[in-house]
């Protein structure tokens, strides 16, 4: 069988070349996560390859055997306070990594790099360093304020409104330091300028909790935090308070000319007592035990943010470390008091991952469309419409299964108590033994064929969670319907699909005249319509998917709060 032997030999040679390159990159100190990203494999797989290569060559694996057997979570638990202290003193990430590599040579450099890049504490500390200018702090607040107060952004307004320091600093931190595409930086500048103008015409306000919650959504859309840059912007509320308000949120907001939301605590009051610290760690361990996630300090920081979005304020990770003297001691105290035997937890966020993926996919597609030839751009438009729509439908099913399955019996009981429930659904749901058996693909896809396709869960969410879904705008619903209709045209190439595109796009045009489609419907005219004006219509319609995932993320936060209450 010579052909099989030759093919296997070529395949083996390809793998050997890849593995040699992986080993070379690891020897240069590149993290296993970054290596994996470049080759399309996981970090653990990179580690496995390094060990196999070392074993076969009789050498020591780079980043593995010659160092202390220390995981990233153990590294952060042991050295998190030191990292935070160095960050607060203004040291750059590269400087901190160098200190650890030179002074603690027994620790794998890959663990040092990965641990510091994943440290939320350090991210906060970098933001407060002197090079994080006041103009950049102010601009970050205005960006979040614009989103929270639904300020309509005017294209090009930054050109005549913002000072050059703000324009340069925001553009630099977004594009050079965070790796955000240029067009998103320009859109952010226009949003900042629009918010500043709006504040002079009406009263704008933002609470600390709303700021932190919306900032997390912004970072998810940017695909951050990540190890790609030294900064994460907009700044944390802690940085805002310290830089603009002498430690007080109300003073910082007043300094920008905004009104202060009522309900804050009195200055000098104790926000948390000993029981609050213990309860926070205990509840977090319950979530980890039920979801199978790692009970690391890094994950605790993310959980605190999710709690804040749900209206439950918890002590921060640094505060917990100070109270218990270490994260290890905090976990030990919680376990000794029976934390893991309490209640049940929640699954990792499907919406957060999907939101990030949707933004990344859209950004990549727009970049290709704007630099490619006319023929290649046309192919990318139709391909992106199909990919984005189909991926959303698949992930949306997974999301509904997850949220309905958190307490399937309670959700099913609510549904069976409905007087308007069709006979077929009553029979299927009553006999189902699992949420996936009850909610079939066909049933979930039918929910998209409605006037409000993005928010329709047919009663499977609780009332408060459904309120978050209902916040999706009519234009986003209509835009998604056009995307689905366009996908069907590009997939089926039929007169029937083209006939369904017309009423969908006319409905969207009634809501926003920028989407008027006056030409006869065909695959060519749809592509040309989407490509016009640097593909702005395609960007606008794809925003519907991003808006849907943001609403689902908010609904998840409500459900998380209900589970832990």
């Amino acid at each position: 069988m010579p052909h099989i032997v030759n093919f296997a030999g070529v395949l083996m040679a390809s793998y050997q070349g890849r593995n040699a390159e992986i080993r070379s990159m690891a020897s240069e100190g590149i993290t296993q996560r970054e290596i994996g990203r470049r080759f399309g494999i996981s970090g653990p797989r990179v580690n496995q390859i390094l060990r196999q290569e070392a074993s076969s060559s009789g050498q020591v694996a780079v980043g593995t055997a010659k160092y202390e057997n220390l995981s990233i979570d153990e590294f952060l638990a042991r050295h998190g306070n030191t990292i935070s202290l160095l960050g607060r003193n203004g040291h750059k990430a590269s400087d901190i990594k160098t200190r650890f590599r030179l002074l603690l040579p027994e620790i794998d450099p890959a663990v040092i790099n990965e641990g510091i890049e994943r440290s939320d504490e350090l991210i906060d500390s970098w933001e407060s360093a002197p090079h994080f200018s006041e103009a950049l702090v102010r601009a970050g607040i205005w960006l979040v304020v614009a989103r929270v107060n639904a300020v309509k952004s005017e294209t090009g307004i930054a050109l005549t409104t913002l000072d050059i320091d703000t324009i340069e600093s925001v553009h630099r931190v977004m594009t050079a330091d965070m790796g955000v595409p240029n067009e998103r930086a320009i859109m952010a500048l226009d949003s900042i300028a629009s918010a500043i103008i709006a504040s002079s015409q009406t009263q704008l306000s933002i609470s600390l909790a709303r700021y932190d919650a919306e900032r997390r959504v912004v970072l998810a859309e940017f695909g951050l935090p990540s190890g790609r840059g030294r900064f994460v912007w907009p700044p944390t509320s802690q940085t805002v308070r310290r830089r603009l308000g002498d430690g007080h949120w109300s003073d910082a907001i007043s300094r920008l000319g905004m009104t202060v939301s009522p309900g804050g605590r009195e200055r000098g009051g104790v926000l948390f007592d000993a029981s609050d610290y213990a309860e926070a760690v205990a509840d977090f361990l319950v979530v980890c035990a039920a979801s199978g996630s790692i009970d690391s300090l890094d994950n605790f920081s993310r959980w605190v943010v999710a709690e804040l979005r749900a209206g439950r304020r918890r002590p921060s990770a640094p505060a917990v470390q100070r109270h218990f003297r270490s994260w290890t001691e905090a976990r030990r105290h919680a376990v000794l008091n029976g934390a893991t035997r309490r209640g049940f937890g929640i699954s990792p966020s499907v919406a957060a991952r999907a939101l990030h993926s949707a933004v990344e996919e859209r950004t990549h597609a727009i970049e290709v469309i704007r630099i490619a030839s006319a023929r290649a751009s046309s192919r990318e438009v139709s391909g992106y419409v199909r990919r984005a729509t189909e991926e959303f439908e698949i992930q949306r099913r997974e999301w509904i299964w997850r949220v309905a399955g958190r307490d399937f019996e309670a959700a099913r009981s609510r549904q069976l108590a409905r007087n308007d429930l069709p006979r077929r659904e009553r029979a299927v749901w009553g006999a189902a033994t699992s949420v996936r058996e009850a909610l079939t693909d066909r049933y979930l896809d039918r929910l998209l064929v409605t006037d409000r396709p993005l928010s329709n869960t047919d009663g499977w969410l609780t009332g408060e969670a459904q309120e978050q879904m209902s916040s999706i705008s009519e234009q986003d619903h209509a835009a998604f319907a056009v995307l689905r209709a366009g996908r069907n045209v590009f997939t089926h190439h039929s007169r029937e699909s083209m006939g369904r595109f017309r009423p969908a796009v006319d409905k969207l045009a009634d809501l926003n005249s920028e989407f008027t489609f006056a030409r006869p419907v065909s695959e060519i005219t749809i592509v040309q319509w989407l490509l016009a004006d640097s593909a702005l219509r395609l960007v606008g319609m794809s925003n519907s998917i991003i808006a849907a995932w943001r609403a689902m993320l908010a609904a998840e936060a409500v459900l998380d709060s209900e589970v832990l209450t």
Side-chain angles (χ1 to χ4, degrees), residues 40 66 88 119 237 304 322 326 412 434 481 496 517:
K66 71 177 181 178
R88 284 197 299 272
S119 175
S237 58
V304 168
R322 286 193 297 269
S326 72
R412 175 164 59 180
S434 69
E496 181 182 5
F517 189 96

Side-chain angles (χ1 to χ4, degrees), residues 415-469:
Q415 294 288 57
L416 295 178
R418 288 169 46 184
N419 294 327
D420 62 341
L421 188 64
R423 182 180 303 175
R424 183 179 182 281
E425 275 75 12
R426 187 177 298 278
V428 171
W429 296 348
T433 59
S434 69
V435 66
R436 290 177 185 257
E437 185 178 338
L439 309 183
T440 63
D441 290 359
R442 185 175 181 181
Y443 163 74
L444 292 177
D445 288 345
R446 283 207 315 269
L447 301 185
L448 291 173
V449 190
T450 62
D451 290 336
R452 297 181 62 83
L454 297 175
S455 61
N456 185 11
T457 63
D458 198 24
W460 285 99
L461 297 188
T462 61
E464 291 188 11
Q466 184 60 47
E467 286 181 9
Q468 302 299 322
M469 300 295 296

Side-chain angles (χ1 to χ4, degrees), residues 47 122 138 148 153 173 178 206 243 263 366 372 381 383 393-394 435 480 488 491 508 565:
N47 184 61
L122 180 58
R138 289 172 174 266
V148 169
S153 180
V173 76
M178 293 166 58
I206 187 170
R243 297 292 296 278
I366 296 302
V381 166
E393 291 174 354
I394 293 170
V435 66
F480 179 73
N488 292 338
T491 302
L508 177 60
T565 301

Side-chain angles (χ1 to χ4, degrees), residues 369 376-386 490 526-528 530-531 535 538:
I369 288 168
S377 295
S378 297
R379 286 198 303 267
E380 181 61 25
V381 166
S382 59
Y384 169 71
V385 169
R386 288 195 300 268
F490 296 140
I526 293 174
V527 167
Q528 292 173 341
L530 291 172
L531 280 173
L538 183 61

Side-chain angles (χ1 to χ4, degrees), residues 117-129:
E117 289 171 356
R118 282 175 48 186
S119 175
D120 281 349
E121 290 179 57
L122 180 58
I123 288 170
D124 290 349
S125 302
W126 292 342
E127 294 173 353
S128 61

Side-chain angles (χ1 to χ4, degrees), residues 455-515:
S455 61
N456 185 11
T457 63
D458 198 24
W460 285 99
L461 297 188
T462 61
E464 291 188 11
Q466 184 60 47
E467 286 181 9
Q468 302 299 322
M469 300 295 296
S470 299
S471 66
I472 301 173
S473 71
E474 291 294 334
Q475 179 170 317
D476 284 328
H477 285 295
F480 179 73
V482 174
L483 279 178
R484 290 193 85 224
R487 184 273 308 273
N488 292 338
V489 170
F490 296 140
T491 302
H492 302 299
H493 319 289
S494 64
R495 290 185 179 180
E496 181 182 5
S497 60
M498 293 179 192
R500 291 178 177 175
F501 181 86
R502 171 59 69 187
V505 74
D506 285 348
K507 181 176 180 180
L508 177 60
D510 289 341
L511 297 171
N512 187 334
S513 60
E514 293 179 1
F515 293 96

